[in-house]
Amino acid sequence: MNKDSAQPHPPDSSPSVLRLPPSVFRLPSLIPRWVWTDVVLPMVVVRLCLLLVGWFSQILLPNPRYPVPEALARGWHYSQSRLLDIWARWDSGWYFGIIRRGYALDENIQSTMSDIAFFPLYPYLIKLFVFLLPERMQTTERLLIIGLLISNVLLIAALVLLHKLVTSLFDRETAQRTILYTLLFPTGFFLFCFYTESTFLFLSVAAFYAAQRRAWGAACLCGALLALTRPPGILISVPLFWMYLESIEWKPARLRPNVLYFLLIPAALLSFFLYAQRLTGDFLAPVHAQQAWNKRFAMPWTTLFNPYGGDPYVTSVEQVLTVAFIALAVLALFKLSSPAYAIYSFLLIIPPLLSGTLISTSRYYLVVFPAFILLARFGKHPLLDNLIKITLFTLQLLFMLAWARFYWVA
């Protein structure tokens, strides 16, 4: 007799009854489990912590130098709901203006702050969704909600792609730490804000992710959109083309018609400059407008050690972060799979160092994702991992506390 057939059946079963595995009755999962555990959960936890900080920030006096006195008087700027309003400050107002009336013509863009300094993708993406609302419903608060939804959706998409990219390069644990360090970074709350950070991060990661898979059309399309998001966006064309040359082993004979996709990136920027020329008469108006924010050429060491318009509290943090990101960019040359990642890091770090001021650099570094990948590699040591997380998030909570009360932090 067969040994297995000699075993008695459980009382509630019969050999004649067809028994299906539990997985048959389980609905197929459209979203992998790691998306919830490695991306959504840490994002939600960080967001809740920031909301608590934003709520309790009311115990602090607001910044008396905030340029909108009536907002200080009533305690909010764009929404009476504090948990909404804390995500929009300072440059958010320029984006609201572009959404409401388009680009306005100022008399002297080099001496007077002008919205032409702000690139069009993010505000016009919001405007596209606003068109779906009846005019009576197009309130400032609803614009804010739409903008925040776009920022948060693009943030999730950016972190998912970043996780997939890092996992393909290293392993899941490194990907988890990369996501967490990005969210915990001192200016990480800007990823949730009515700002362009999440849009910029999504498009840059998506471009590298597509390039890693030799999908050059998709990579260059993302690069073109990035060039319309913020001035440094055009610089992604350099590392992407480097990856393309790597894919053909640096042999010109292997060039294919798909190389023409790279024309999309400068073409996108050219279209905005042509529009700026029609509006202002100055082809380089978006560049010249930066001077109104006191950004003028200076040698990198001058900017680093003697920056113009420094803040007694924030500038020292920006100096430390600048040195750290330069070091990470150098190490990326040797530690990451392609020099393209290091090249991209340098291209995002160097322009602020040539501007004479470190103002906002801690926010600009937020999208230098190769640096976070490398930092995550160092974080495989538990003690260093805890030190990184505690340091980054402590600074972010302090920054958020000040930001919610109308102080400039980045």
Side-chain angles (χ1 to χ4, degrees):
M1 179 182 294
N2 183 283
K3 182 178 179 180
D4 292 335
S5 64
Q7 301 297 324
H9 293 286
D12 61 340
S13 65
S14 166
S16 62
V17 177
L18 178 62
R19 297 184 63 82
L20 298 175
S23 60
V24 172
F25 301 100
R26 191 178 300 138
L27 292 175
S29 176
L30 298 178
I31 302 177
R33 184 177 178 182
W34 63 262
V35 172
W36 300 106
T37 59
D38 299 358
V39 174
V40 177
L41 180 60
M43 180 177 163
V44 170
V45 171
V46 170
R47 176 72 180 252
L48 289 175
C49 291
L50 294 174
L51 284 171
L52 284 173
V53 170
W55 178 260
F56 283 105
S57 68
Q58 296 174 85
I59 64 175
L60 297 179
L61 292 175
N63 176 17
R65 293 183 295 174
Y66 191 66
V68 187
E70 56 269 26
L72 297 179
R74 63 180 180 238
W76 55 272
H77 194 161
Y78 302 104
S79 171
Q80 295 185 52
S81 171
R82 182 170 187 78
L83 298 184
L84 277 178
D85 190 65
I86 58 175
W87 305 109
R89 295 284 186 268
W90 296 95
D91 287 354
S92 300
W94 293 106
Y95 293 117
F96 274 112
I98 295 170
I99 295 166
R100 286 292 193 191
R101 66 180 188 274
Y103 286 95
L105 180 60
D106 294 294
E107 292 183 1
N108 191 337
I109 60 172
Q110 296 186 29
S111 59
T112 305
M113 292 183 180
S114 169
D115 52 20
I116 199 67
F118 296 85
F119 279 38
L121 183 69
Y122 181 67
Y124 276 92
L125 184 59
I126 297 172
K127 197 168 187 173
L128 179 65
F129 284 92
V130 170
F131 280 140
L132 302 177
L133 296 176
E135 188 172 353
R136 60 182 176 81
M137 296 181 64
Q138 295 178 15
T139 63
T140 299
E141 186 174 66
R142 288 192 174 93
L143 264 62
L144 175 59
I145 292 172
I146 292 172
L148 294 180
L149 285 173
I150 290 173
S151 292
N152 283 265
V153 168
L154 290 178
L155 173 58
I156 293 174
L159 296 180
V160 167
L161 286 180
L162 183 57
H163 189 288
K164 292 169 71 71
L165 178 63
V166 178
T167 302
S168 69
L169 296 174
F170 297 106
D171 50 57
R172 180 179 173 182
E173 288 72 24
T174 303
Q176 290 172 321
R177 288 191 296 272
T178 303
I179 300 303
L180 195 55
Y181 294 170
T182 302
L183 290 170
L184 298 180
F185 191 67
T187 53
F189 62 89
F190 277 101
L191 294 169
F192 301 105
C193 283
F194 198 87
Y195 264 65
T196 60
E197 267 56 44
S198 57
T199 307
F200 197 97
L201 181 64
F202 166 70
L203 291 170
S204 57
V205 173
F208 270 81
Y209 183 76
Q212 194 81 16
R213 281 150 184 75
R214 308 298 186 247
W216 302 113
C220 292
L221 177 60
C222 290
L225 294 174
L226 194 66
L228 294 173
T229 304
R230 277 218 315 254
I234 184 67
L235 300 176
I236 200 172
S237 57
V238 178
L240 290 184
F241 194 64
W242 183 286
M243 295 177 76
Y244 180 84
L245 293 176
E246 286 180 332
S247 72
I248 62 171
E249 299 178 344
W250 299 85
K251 297 178 180 178
R254 294 188 178 182
L255 287 173
R256 295 293 180 266
N258 59 5
V259 73
L260 296 176
Y261 285 130
F262 286 90
L263 295 177
L264 289 172
I265 303 176
L269 185 63
L270 178 62
S271 66
F272 181 50
F273 280 3
L274 288 172
Y275 172 75
Q277 183 179 35
R278 185 170 67 86
L279 187 66
T280 67
D282 181 0
F283 180 74
L284 295 177
V287 177
H288 293 154
Q290 302 294 329
Q291 296 181 25
W293 274 265
N294 296 312
K295 293 183 178 181
R296 294 176 176 85
F297 178 79
M299 299 306 292
W301 47 87
T302 301
T303 303
L304 180 59
F305 297 109
N306 189 27
Y308 175 82
D311 181 275
Y313 301 104
V314 178
T315 299
S316 58
V317 175
E318 291 172 327
Q319 288 171 318
V320 172
L321 289 176
T322 298
V323 173
F325 272 74
I326 291 173
L328 289 170
V330 172
L331 290 172
L333 282 170
F334 309 99
K335 299 293 185 179
L336 297 183
S337 60
S338 169
Y341 292 93
I343 292 170
Y344 188 55
S345 300
F346 280 118
L347 289 174
L348 292 181
I349 294 169
I350 290 174
L353 280 175
L354 298 176
S355 69
T357 177
L358 288 177
I359 292 175
S360 297
T361 51
S362 58
R363 173 163 57 89
Y364 299 154
Y365 298 152
L366 177 60
V367 297
V368 187
F369 71 90
F372 291 96
I373 298 175
L374 194 57
L375 193 62
R377 294 295 291 165
F378 296 136
K380 64 182 178 181
H381 302 288
L383 181 61
L384 187 56
D385 177 48
N386 290 327
L387 179 62
I388 292 170
K389 289 187 291 189
I390 292 171
T391 302
L392 293 181
F393 201 40
T394 299
L395 285 171
Q396 181 175 170
L397 295 178
L398 293 172
F399 274 31
M400 183 66 189
L401 191 68
W403 169 264
R405 295 305 281 161
F406 303 99
Y407 288 89
W408 177 269
V409 295

